[in-house]
Each structure stands twice: as structure tokens, then as C-alpha cells.
């Protein structure tokens, strides 16, 4: 058996445990000792032998065909993104020893854009580290600061937790997006350190990480309970930075003419006033 991490086996096992017999048309009869489907049930429904499926889960066969993986994806009720992730795991080749990762640097033009945008904006790196941020984003959440990490703050900082009325669903989406972002590169020291810290400090992160959910962090709506302006309903756009693969420009914006738009404008005005005061600028 290879010394390489068994990414494919870990993934299908985690997803198998989330599918109930009823979801695939198998009568649940008698006491079941395992959560979700049994291995032999997945094999039967996918049209492969139980022994072959066992070898896949145990990492003794790491070169399944696309057809086999697609059959397993169908049985495990994977969506398009999760199926694509499964195919990537099945196609992964043994990796060479990694070089020391380079520090993520925001392109100068993007940093300038973030600073001048009239909306809350920041740049995240591959591991959801905050690399650049404007003043209005920091006013939205003081945890949005260069050097912070969105995962660490959302799971471990009580003030950030309180900012999200829908905290539980927000954590589900963030962990699934994080797994999509890192892909199969799970031997990076930064990744190992971050996942290890969160797994020990947050039982919820540990549970969500064990599910192996995969989802692209695309545009979405979010609710915030801001301590100064109250309830906010904002849309979140995530735009890839072409000059720096892995980096994403995140912009929060309200629907025009809404109560949230008025509240964000009020927050922006207060932020400008504080900035002017810090610079010693007198306002008319």
C-alpha cells in the first residue's frame, strides 16, 4: 500500500456515510452498524464488485476509470462540483516533494482597487487568509484585517460568530469552499497547520471537515447583525484575481434602494469621518 495520503478513499468513505438506504431505494431492515450505506451496497448500485470497491476505499487501487468514478458519484448522490472533485482525486498522481510555499502577495493594481472601492472589499488567499482590505470592510467586521484568517475568525472568535445570524449555514459553506480551494494539495505546511488548529479548537469545524463537502464559494446572499447599524442583507461577489491564481477579490454590496443600502451608506459615512479625524482633516 502506498505511503501517499488516501484522498480518494477518505472522500468516498465520508460521502458514503452521509447517504441513507432510503435515499437510494434500499429498505432499512434490522440493525445497521454503520452510518449511511454499506460498502457492498455502494458496489452493487455502482455495478462493480464489492472487493474492488473495498480496494478503492482502502487505497489499494488508486487508478479507477472515469466510468467507475462517475457510477460511484451517482450512487453517492454527488452534485456536479463534488463529482468533479472526485474525478480530480481519482486522477491525482504521486506528488514530488513540495518546495517551501511562497508568500502570497496581492498585485499592486488590485491592492489599489480595493483601497478605492466605495464598497466593503478584501482579498483572500488560497487558505482564506486576508491579504488586503479597505476601511469599509473593516468597519463591517473588525476581524477583516490583513493577516487574519476567515476560517479561524468565523469558528473561533465569538464576536465574529455573533455577527452572523445564520452562523451554522455560513460555516457549512465556508468549509466546503475551503476544501474546494485547496483541492488535492493537502501536504502544504500552511494547510496542515490551519486544519490541525481548527480541528482541535472547534468541534464543529472537525465535524464539517469530516463530511468532505466540496462547493465553490460563488456569489451569494448573507445576513449580518452589525453592532452599529443593525441587520444587513448583502450580496457577496467573489472574483478571481487573474494575475495571482488562488487569490479572490471579495466585494459586499446591498440591493439599491433597500434599508441595507441606507445602513451601509451610514456606516461608510461614519468610517470616512473617523478616517478624516485620524488624519486631522476638518469636515465642513
Amino acid at each position: 500500500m502506498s505511503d501517499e495520503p488516501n484522498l480518494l478513499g477518505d472522500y468516498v468513505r465520508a460521502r458514503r456515510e452521509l447517504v441513507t438506504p432510503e435515499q437510494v431505494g434500499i429498505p432499512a431492515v434490522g440493525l445497521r452498524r454503520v452510518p449511511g450505506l454499506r460498502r457492498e451496497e455502494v458496489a452493487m448500485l455502482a455495478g462493480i464488485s464489492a472487493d474492488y470497491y473495498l480496494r478503492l476505499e482502502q487505497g489499494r487501487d488508486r487508478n479507477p476509470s472515469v466510468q467507475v468514478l462517475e457510477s460511484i458519484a451517482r450512487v453517492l448522490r454527488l452534485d456536479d462540483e463534488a463529482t468533479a472533485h472526485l474525478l480530480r482525486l481519482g486522477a491525482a498522481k504521486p506528488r514530488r516533494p513540495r518546495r517551501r510555499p511562497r508568500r502570497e502577495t496581492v498585485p499592486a493594481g488590485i491592492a489599489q482597487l480595493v483601497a478605492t472601492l466605495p464598497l466593503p472589499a478584501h482579498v483572500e488567499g488560497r487558505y482564506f487568509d486576508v491579504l488586503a482590505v479597505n476601511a469599509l470592510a473593516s468597519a463591517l467586521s473588525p476581524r477583516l484585517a490583513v493577516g487574519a484568517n476567515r476560517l479561524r475568525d468565523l469558528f473561533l472568535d465569538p464576536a465574529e460568530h455573533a455577527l452572523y445570524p445564520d452562523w451554522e449555514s455560513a460555516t457549512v459553506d465556508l468549509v466546503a469552499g475551503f476544501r474546494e480551494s485547496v483541492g488535492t494539495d493537502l501536504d502544504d505546511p500552511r494547510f496542515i497547520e490551519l486544519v490541525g488548529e481548527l480541528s482541535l479548537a472547534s468541534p464543529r469545524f472537525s465535524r464539517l471537515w469530516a463530511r468532505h463537502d466540496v462547493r465553490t464559494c460563488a456569489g451569494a446572499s448573507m445576513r449580518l447583525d452589525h453592532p452599529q447599524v443593525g441587520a444587513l442583507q448583502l450580496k457577496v461577489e467573489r472574483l478571481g484575481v487573474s494575475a495571482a491564481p488562488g487569490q479572490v477579490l471579495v466585494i459586499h454590496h446591498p440591493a439599491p434602494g433597500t434599508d441595507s443600502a441606507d445602513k451601509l451608506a451610514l456606516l461608510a459615512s461614519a468610517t470616512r469621518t473617523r478616517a478624516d479625524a485620524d488624519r486631522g482633516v476638518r469636515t465642513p
Side-chain angles (χ1 to χ4, degrees), residues 56-76:
L56 286 178
E57 273 206 9
Q58 292 181 339
R60 292 186 285 127
D61 189 318
R62 303 195 181 203
N63 297 288
S65 68
V66 171
Q67 291 81 1
V68 165
L69 292 176
E70 288 178 339
S71 294
I72 292 173
R74 173 180 51 79
V75 175
L76 299 182

Side-chain angles (χ1 to χ4, degrees), residues 32-276:
R32 298 179 67 89
R33 292 179 296 174
V34 296
L37 297 177
R38 299 185 177 104
R39 292 190 183 99
E40 58 269 23
E41 291 169 340
V42 175
M44 175 190 69
L45 294 169
I48 59 179
S49 74
D51 179 66
Y52 182 63
Y53 180 79
L54 176 62
R55 294 203 306 272
L56 286 178
E57 273 206 9
Q58 292 181 339
R60 292 186 285 127
D61 189 318
R62 303 195 181 203
N63 297 288
S65 68
V66 171
Q67 291 81 1
V68 165
L69 292 176
E70 288 178 339
S71 294
I72 292 173
R74 173 180 51 79
V75 175
L76 299 182
R77 305 172 66 85
L78 303 184
D79 61 19
D80 290 344
E81 287 183 319
T83 298
H85 182 68
L86 176 64
L87 295 176
R88 286 195 298 270
L89 294 177
K93 300 295 188 295
R95 296 181 294 277
R96 297 176 182 175
R98 293 182 61 93
R99 297 178 181 176
R100 169 174 265 174
R102 284 197 241 171
R103 184 175 170 222
E104 292 183 294
T105 303
V106 178
I110 297 296
Q112 184 180 41
L113 173 64
V114 169
T116 57
L117 279 174
L119 294 165
H122 70 279
V123 175
E124 288 177 0
R126 190 178 184 201
Y127 301 121
F128 293 3
D129 295 311
V130 179
L131 306 177
V133 63
N134 65 15
L136 187 51
S138 294
L140 201 61
S141 168
R143 274 70 59 188
L144 277 170
V146 173
N149 179 271
R150 297 304 296 148
L151 279 163
R152 183 183 289 117
D153 288 338
L154 194 60
F155 280 96
L156 304 183
D157 192 306
E160 191 72 5
H161 183 163
L163 192 61
Y164 288 82
D166 305 316
W167 180 80
E168 291 194 355
S169 62
T171 57
V172 170
D173 292 340
L174 195 65
V175 171
F178 179 57
R179 191 177 281 281
E180 168 66 21
S181 179
V182 299
T184 60
D185 275 341
L186 305 185
D187 59 349
D188 185 280
R190 171 69 180 138
F191 164 81
I192 294 171
E193 173 192 23
L194 183 59
V195 171
E197 175 191 0
L198 290 168
S199 296
L200 290 173
S202 170
R204 178 161 180 80
F205 175 85
S206 184
R207 288 193 299 271
L208 292 177
W209 187 248
R211 288 173 54 93
H212 286 252
D213 290 331
V214 178
R215 191 175 308 126
T216 300
C217 285
S221 294
M222 64 182 296
R223 292 194 306 148
L224 295 178
D225 187 8
H226 195 274
Q228 290 176 274
V229 298
L232 287 168
Q233 183 81 37
L234 301 174
K235 295 181 180 179
V236 184
E237 309 299 338
R238 299 176 61 86
L239 311 174
V241 178
S242 59
Q247 293 184 21
V248 177
L249 172 61
V250 184
I251 302 174
H252 296 76
H253 64 104
T258 61
D259 183 55
S260 291
D262 293 339
K263 290 178 178 179
L264 189 62
L266 180 63
L267 186 62
S269 176
T271 301
R272 288 192 298 270
T273 299
R274 284 196 300 271
D276 289 342

